[in-house]
Amino acid sequence: MHDELNERIRLIYQTHYKDVYSFLLYFTNNQNETEDLTQEVFTSLLRSLPSYDGRVVIKTWLFSIAKYIAIDYYRKQKLKLFFSEKLLRNIVTTEGVPEAELSHKEELVELKKALQKLKPSYRMVIILRSIKGYSIKETAELLAISEAKVKVDYHRGFKQLQRYMTEPKEGGWQNEFV
């Protein structure tokens, strides 16, 4: 029985690790935090798997755990700055980097910054729908919310994301005369 449970856990881990990790990485935008949170998700799975009754698909159950762990993380980090200069320092630049690639990296940084400004429920829906490519139905199941809520949160989150992406940046000539 113990070997059977170990094999089941190993299979679940191998099948869903990348999806859970990716979801949490987009949510936190921090690799170290993501590794810790992913470990926390699978530790929680380990503790509760013997009581899993099969009423929902294992992936839905696992993402439900990940969702609540992400929300707890968000609450703990609420008073801290979500996005620091660390990401900017992680962009390695060398002479001769094509301008297009640099521009793409800058846009990606701005998108990640804007994503971090969204409230958690919007951020989760945007990550699952736009980045991970899940359907409305799958997103609703994974987050344990209605399909209507997925649509509303996606629409509102996307509008906020667009607004954050078009906000004038600090510095620059536009702000010199303010």
Side-chain angles (χ1 to χ4, degrees):
M1 182 68 177
H2 186 66
D3 289 339
E4 185 179 308
L5 184 61
N6 284 342
E7 180 60 26
R8 188 172 179 201
I9 291 168
R10 188 182 65 74
L11 182 62
I12 292 169
Y13 180 83
Q14 287 177 337
T15 305
H16 301 291
Y17 171 80
K18 286 181 182 176
D19 287 335
V20 170
Y21 180 86
S22 179
F23 170 75
L24 292 170
L25 181 60
Y26 279 107
F27 188 85
T28 65
N29 198 30
N30 181 311
Q31 187 175 0
N32 291 332
E33 293 292 337
T34 299
E35 290 168 0
D36 291 344
L37 294 175
T38 303
Q39 181 178 358
E40 195 174 327
V41 168
F42 284 98
T43 301
S44 180
L45 168 78
L46 185 60
R47 283 192 303 267
S48 55
L49 191 59
S51 64
Y52 172 68
D53 60 10
R55 285 185 292 159
V56 295
V57 179
I58 195 80
K59 184 175 185 176
T60 302
W61 186 55
L62 192 58
F63 266 85
S64 179
I65 293 170
K67 174 182 114 174
Y68 289 111
I69 286 175
I71 290 169
D72 285 345
Y73 166 81
Y74 175 76
R75 288 179 182 147
K76 291 175 187 172
Q77 300 299 317
K78 206 175 204 176
L79 300 176
K80 294 181 182 177
L81 185 61
F82 266 110
F83 197 85
S84 67
E85 294 176 10
K86 289 180 183 176
L87 182 61
L88 296 176
R89 282 188 238 127
N90 288 339
I91 298 176
V92 179
T93 58
T94 59
E95 276 190 65
V97 173
E99 200 170 298
E101 186 177 331
L102 182 59
S103 175
H104 177 71
K105 283 183 178 181
E106 289 172 351
E107 288 174 6
L108 188 57
V109 167
E110 291 304 314
L111 178 61
K112 287 179 179 181
K113 281 183 181 180
L115 196 57
Q116 293 302 307
K117 291 179 183 179
L118 293 177
K119 68 186 230 183
S121 59
Y122 294 174
R123 191 179 333 158
M124 286 183 204
V125 170
I126 296 285
I127 290 168
L128 291 174
R129 293 277 298 124
S130 295
I131 298 172
K132 300 301 291 171
Y134 288 109
S135 69
I136 292 170
K137 183 177 181 179
E138 290 171 322
T139 302
E141 288 174 3
L142 292 174
L143 297 177
I145 58 176
S146 70
E147 290 181 27
K149 176 118 173 90
V150 169
K151 292 175 186 177
V152 168
D153 284 357
Y154 181 81
H155 177 73
R156 290 178 180 167
F158 195 75
K159 284 181 92 169
Q160 276 188 0
L161 196 59
Q162 285 179 317
R163 191 172 63 246
Y164 293 146
M165 293 292 292
T166 58
E167 284 179 349
K169 311 300 179 258
E170 283 189 35
W173 67 269
Q174 299 94 334
N175 296 320
E176 286 188 21
F177 302 107
V178 178

